[in-house]
Amino acid sequence: MQNISMRRLLAGAALTILPFGAMAADLEVTHWWTSGGEAAAVQELARIFEEQTEHSWVDGAIAGSGSTARPIMVSRIIGGDPMGATQFNHGLQAQELVEAGLMQDLTEVAEANGWRDSINPVSLLDACTFEGRVYCAPLNIHSPQWMWTSLAAFEKAGIEPATNWEELKAAAPALREAGILPLAQGMQGWQTALLLYAMISGIGGADFYNQVFAERNEDALNSDTLKNIFAEYAIARDLASGGNLSDWNMATNRIIEGTAAAQVMGDWAQGEFALAGKTAGTDYGCHIGLGGEPVIATGGDAIYFPVNDDEAVTEAQRALAQVILSEEAQVAFNAAKGSLPVRGDIDLAEVNECTQAGLETLKAGNTIPTIDLVMSSDSRGQIEDLTAEFFGSSLSAEDAHARFVQIVQSEM
Amino acid sequence: MSDAAYPAAAGARSRSAAPRGRLLDGPAGLAPTRRLSGKRIMIYGGLLIFSAYYLLPLWVMVMTSLKGMPEIRMGNIFAPPVEITFEPWVKAWSEACTGLNCDGLSRGFWNSVAIVIPATILSIAVAAVNGYALVNWRFKGSEVFFTILIFGAFIPYQVMIYPIVIILREIGLMGSVWGLVLVHVVFGMPIITLLFRNYFSSLPPELFKAARVDGAGFWGIFLRVLVPMSLPIFTVAVILQVTGIWNDFLFGVIYTRPESYPMTVQLNNIVNSVQGVREYNVNMAATLLTGLVPLTIYFLSGKLFVRGIAAGAVKG
Amino acid sequence: MAQALRAETRSELDGISVSIRDLSLSYGAVEVLGDLNLDVNDGEFLVLLGASGCGKSTLLNCIAGLQPATEGQIFISGKNVTWAEPSERGIGMVFQSYALYPQMTVEGNLSFGLKNAQVPKGEIARRIARAASTLQLEPLLKRKPAALSGGQRQRVAIGRALVRDVDVFLFDEPLSNLDAKLRAELRVELKRLHQSLGNTMIYVTHDQIEAMTLADRIAIMRGGKIQQLATPDDIYRRPANLYVAGFIGSPPMNLLPGRLDGSTFRGPLVADVTGYDFTTRPRGGDIVLGIRPEHVRTGEAAAALPIQAQALVEVVEPMGADTLVWTRLGDTPFRVRLDGEDRVRAGQMLSIGFDPASLSLFDAATETRI
Amino acid sequence: MAHSGPPIRLFQNWSAKLAATPMILTALVVFIGCSLWTVVYSFTNSRLLPRLDFVGLAQYERLWSTPRWQVSIENLAIYGILALVLTLAIGFLLAVLLDQKIRFEDGFRTIILFPYALSFIVTGVVWQWILNPDFGLQHIIRGMGFSGFTFDPLNNPDLVIVALLAAGIWQGAGLTTVIMLAGLRGIDEDVWKASRVDGIPAWKTYLFIILPMMKPVFATCIVLISAGIIKLYDLVVALTRGGPGIASEVPAKYVYDYMFGNQNLGQGFAASTMMLAAVLAIIIPFALFRMGRKRHV
C-alpha cells in the first residue's frame, strides 16, 4: 500500500520535473500502404516523426488494400486494443467510431497549429470535424481521376498518344493491332469503382458528379448523361478485356513496361512511376479527369488516433498529429507517394508536371468531394460489388445503370 | 514313437515317396502370379496420375523458389532451375517487406511458435479433461454440452467473430497473444474433445473402476492411470493442433496485433505487398517456409497423423 | 482397519460380512435391480450366477460403490457404506479384463492402491511380498502387464485385491477371458486361496461349473431379482422354479408339461409320483415335470424303477465319458445321459425309467416348485 | 445414516463439473451465446457498432435482393455440389486403389494426404502460381506448340470455380481418402471371401456390396466436407479474392466484407445467420439420423 502511494508520488514528481511530453512511447501506426511508392512515403513520415520527437514509430502495415485492412483496424479499436494511430480514408468511414467516443479529440492540436488556416481546401478539415471538434489529421490529397498513359506504347503502335478518353477509344484498334492492351484495369471492386467515379466526374463534370453522389438528384440519376456514361463504361470494359490484372500496381506496371496504353488510377500511381525511374512527360502522360473536365477529388488519407489510457501514447499521438501537418512531412510524404499536400501554404520546390497540374486544379478550386465523404461504406461497398460484377460479366450497361441508381437512392 | 516301429507309418512314407509319378495332367502346386497384370497396371497407373496431381504443386513451388526472376520470366514453371539460387529463401525469411518491416517471415515464424506452443498445450489439456469427464464422470447434462460442442464445430466462424471481439474486450485479452490462444482453445475444443472422448471410451471401463477401488480420485485416475496410457492419442492431438493452429489465418489476422502476426498472416502480407513486379520465387519460398512446420510434422509423424484424423473423424 | 470397522458392528449384523437391504437401481423407467435383499456370511464364498443382463455385475458394482444405488442400503463388515467411496469400503475387486494399469509394473499395480491410501512404505513392501508369495508372483514383479500371460495377469489382478488386506473380495467374471484349461486350473487355485484366507468372496459368473465348484452358496439372478439363494447342491437338486431348473445343468433338465391327477402325472408319459418330496401340499392341475438327463436310467436298471417309458432314439452324441442321447417321448424331445460305455443307435427304442425322488415338479402357472 | 437416497446431486462429481467448466462455458457462452447474439443483431440496422435498433427483416430483404449474395450462394451451391461429389468420388476411388495390397501404400498415402497439412493460404498461393496464365499451365501448354490453348480460370468468370475446385480438392481429398480407407479396412474380410467364392467381380463387389456397407463412413465424410464448404473463405481470399469481378464470391466472404469492410454489421449478421441456418439444416438431420440409429441398436 505504502509502496504504491510512494511510487505514485515519485511518478507525479517526475512528471512535474521533466519537460512536458518527455515520456517516450512506441506508437503503433496501422495502414495499408504496402506498395513500393506507398512504403517509401511511410518511410519518410516515420523518419521525420522519429527525428522530431522522442517517440518511436512501430509500423503496423497490413497488406492487401483498405478492404483487407479496415476490418482488422475496426475490430481492434472496438475490441479495446487500439493501435496508436491508424489510416482511414477520411469521411464517413470513421464517423461512428468518433460518435462512440473511441477517437482522440485533436482540437487543441489543431487550434494551436492553426490547421484551419493552413489546410487547403478547408473541406478536408471539415471532414475530420464532428460537432465542432477535430478528430483526425488529414495527411494528403488523393485524386483518383487520372488517366495515365504509356508514351512508349503509343509509339510502338505508331500513333499519337491519347490525351483523353475519346482519343483512347479511337486509338484502341491500333493498339490492339500492336499487341498492346488499351486499358490496364485491375479487377478488384475498388478499382473498377474508381474508374466509374472518374468517368462520372470526367465526362459528366463536377456539378453532375455532385448531383449524383452528394445530392442524389433523381433527374441526374436518370439522365441520359449518366446512361451514356454507363455505355462508355461498357466500352472501357472492352478496352480492358484480356488484361487479366488484379492488383492496381500490376496494372501500373504494364504502363511502365509499355505493354498497356492507359490506366485510370489515382495519383498514387506516380509513386510507382517514380520508383521505376520514369519521368512524367517523356515516359508517361497524365490527364486529370480522363482528359475531360479537370476536377480533383479532395479526399485522401487521414490519420485517426484511437483513445487509449496510456498517457505517453496520447502524448505521442498528439506529436504525430503535429508532425503530419508539418511542412517537412507534407513535402516528403507526398513527394514519395505522388499525392498532393493538404497545406495550401507549401511550395513544392520541384514537382513534376503531373503534380503541378494537380496543384493548379486545386488552387483553381475545381474540387469535388471524394466518394468517402458523401457515401457510406455500405453504399460504396455495394457500388464496388456492382462494378466488379460488371467487369467480370457481360452485364449490360442499362442494367448496371439501373442497379447503380437503386444503390445511390437507398443511401440514407 | 518312431515311424519305423509301425508298418502303417512306413506305408505312409512309401506313399509320400512317390508323388511325382501320381500327378495327373493340369495345374499343380503354386499358382503362377503374373507380376504385371492389366489390373495392376491400371491400379498403379491411377495412383501415379493422382500422385502427379498432388506432387506437381510441391515440385513447382520448390523449383520456382530456387530460380532467379529472369529465369522465371523466360521459362517453364515445371523445369528445374538452370542456376540454383537460395536468394529467394533468404529474402522470404529475413528481408521481404510489409510496409516498413523488412524482416520477412522470420518474425511471423517466432510469433507462430509463441502462439502454437501455449495454444496446443492448453487446448489439449482442456480437451483431454473434457473427454475424461464425459466418459468417466458423466453428470446431468454432460452429453447435452458435448452435443452443443460438436454442433459448434460446424458453426461458421463468421457467426462468432464479432461477439468474440466483444468477449475478448470484456476480459481484456483483445490483441494479446493470450486472447488468440484462448480463441484457439475454444475452437479446437470440439474436435479434440471428441478425439479424447472416443479414445477414453475405448479403454476398458474396469480400469477406471479398479483405480477407484484403489482409492484414486478424479485427478489421480486421470493423471496417474489414464494419461500415462494415452500417449498415442496425445501425440495425435498435438499433431492436429499444431498443424491446425499453425495454419490458421482468420483468427490470427483479427485477434492479434501486427507485431504478433502469425506466419500465415505474414505470408499473406508478403504475397500481397506487391512492390513493383511480383517476385514469384520469393512468394514460393515464403509459401514453402510457412508450410514447412506442418509438413515436417506430417512427414515425421506418418501413420500417427493418419490414425489421428481417422480416429477423430470416423467414430463420433 | 478391519478391527475398527468391526467395532461398529451391530448385533443384528453379527456374522454377516455383506448385507444388502432393499436395494434397487433404475435408469429412468428401466429397473435394473429391484428390492434386493442379500446377506453374505463372514468367510462365505457367494456366487452371483445368471445370464448376461440379469443384473449380477450391476449388483457387484453397487457393492463396490462403483454404481450408486437408487434406493436401499449396503453394509460391509457392519458398516453402512451406501454412500462411501469404493476405496473406503474395505473391498478388493478383480475384473474380467484384469484392468491392470498397463504403464505400471506388476509391483506398481499392486502398490498403487496402497500408495493412494498413504500406507507406509515398509508396510507396502511387506504386503506385496506376502501377496507375491501367495500367488507365486515373485519373478514377475518388475514386469509390465503386456509381458505377462493371461493367467499371470489374472493372478496379478487377484494380488491387487489381496494386498489391500480387506475382508471382502469381489470378483467380476474373473476367469472368462481365459482358455478352458487355464480356467480350470485357476478355479482350483481360487478355491485354495479362499480356503487359506477365509475372506468373504462375492463372485460373479455366468459359468455354472464355476458356480457349482466354487460356491458355498449360489444366488441365481434374473431381471434384477434373486431367483434362488442356496447351496450348489440344493440348487441342482431342488431348483426353486422353472427358470433355475432350466438354467442349471448341461444339458438342462427335461421339462415335460402335463397334468397332475392325485398322484398321477399325465403328459408325454404317465407316471405315479408317489415318493416325490412335495414342498407344498400337492394340488391337481397343470404342472411341469422335470427330470435331469443324468437321473434317467435305461435298460435293465430302468426296469427296477417306479416310472418307466419307451423312447425313440433320434440322435446320439458320444462325448467320451458319457453319451448324450436325444430321444422323443411321443412328440416331446427328451434327453438322456448315458454312461460312455453304453451303446445305442439312432432309430432304436430305448426303455427308460426314473425315480420320483429325483423329480422336480413345478406349478405351470406360477412356475414355482411344488 | 439410516435414511436412504442419494447425496445432494449438486455436489456429486464436483471435480468433474469443475473440470468441465471450460467446456460448459464454451458451449453456452461461445457457441450458443455468440450465435444468438449474432442472430439478434441481424434484425437491427447496426452499422459500424452494434446497436439494438430493430428494423425487422429489412436486412434479410436486402440480403436476398443483393446480386453479390445471390452470386455467392450460387457459387457455393455449384462449388459445394461439385466439390462434394468429386471429393467423395476421388476419395473412394483412391481408397479402393490403395486397398489393393499395393506396394508403397504408405508412400502413396503420404503423397495424397500431405496438402491437408498445409494452410489454405499456402494452397491458394501455390495454385495461383500454377494457374497464372503468363507462367503457369497455359504458358507451358502454349509453349508445347498449342499456341491457341487457353486455360485461364483465375481470370475467366465462368471457369474460376474450376480453379477453386482444383485447389480445394487438392487440399481436401486426401482426408476423405484416408477416412474411406479406414472404412474399407473396417469391413469384414469374410465379405471378400464370400464374393470370391460367389465369383462376383471386384468392381461389382465394391459398387454393390462394399459401397452400401460404407454408408456411415460416407455420412461422416459428407458432414465433414459440407462443413468445410460452408466455411470456405481462406482459399477464396488467397486464390481469387472473390474475383474476377464477383465471380468467385462466397457467403463467408460476404459476411466478412459487410461486417467489417462495408461497415454494415446488420447486413453481415443477417448473412451469417443464413449460413448458420444452412449449417443447422445439414447437421440436424444427420444428428437425428445418428440418434435414431443408436436407439435402434
Side-chain angles (χ1 to χ4, degrees), chain B residues 131-155:
Chain B
Y132 165 62
L134 283 169
V135 171
N136 291 318
W137 298 87
R138 290 186 189 195
F139 51 90
K140 215 172 172 145
S142 61
E143 281 301 297
V144 175
F145 292 124
F146 178 67
T147 312
I148 297 173
L149 209 62
I150 296 303
F151 272 106
F154 297 100
I155 302 176

Side-chain angles (χ1 to χ4, degrees), chain A residues 177-189:
Chain A
E177 189 84 0
I180 290 165
L181 183 67
L183 183 65
Q185 174 67 45
M187 296 285 266
Q188 290 161 348

Side-chain angles (χ1 to χ4, degrees), chain A residues 64 67-68 70-72 74-75 78 88 92-94 96-97 99-100 102 187-188 244-245 247 376-378 380-382 385 388-389 391-393 403 412, chain D residues 45-51 62 65-68 71 133-134 152 155-157 241 243-247 249 254 256-258 260-265 267:
Chain A
S67 42
T68 312
R70 270 194 302 269
I72 298 160
V74 171
S75 63
I78 292 169
F88 265 113
L92 301 178
Q93 275 178 8
E96 236 179 301
L97 294 172
E99 277 175 25
L102 292 168
M187 296 285 266
Q188 290 161 348
N244 300 339
L245 293 158
D247 295 303
S376 69
S377 296
D378 187 19
R380 212 197 47 179
Q382 291 182 70
D385 289 345
E389 185 188 347
F391 260 79
S393 68
R403 276 170 50 188
M412 282 155 273
Chain D
N45 67 354
S46 304
R47 299 184 76 80
L48 184 58
L49 300 171
R51 261 195 289 241
R62 178 172 149 196
S65 62
T66 302
R68 179 172 154 189
V71 169
D134 299 328
D152 185 10
N155 291 299
N156 182 339
R241 273 193 245 159
I246 56 169
E249 290 291 348
Y254 184 93
Y256 189 83
D257 287 351
Y258 267 85
F260 295 111
N262 291 4
Q263 301 177 359
N264 189 339
L265 283 178
Q267 183 66 194

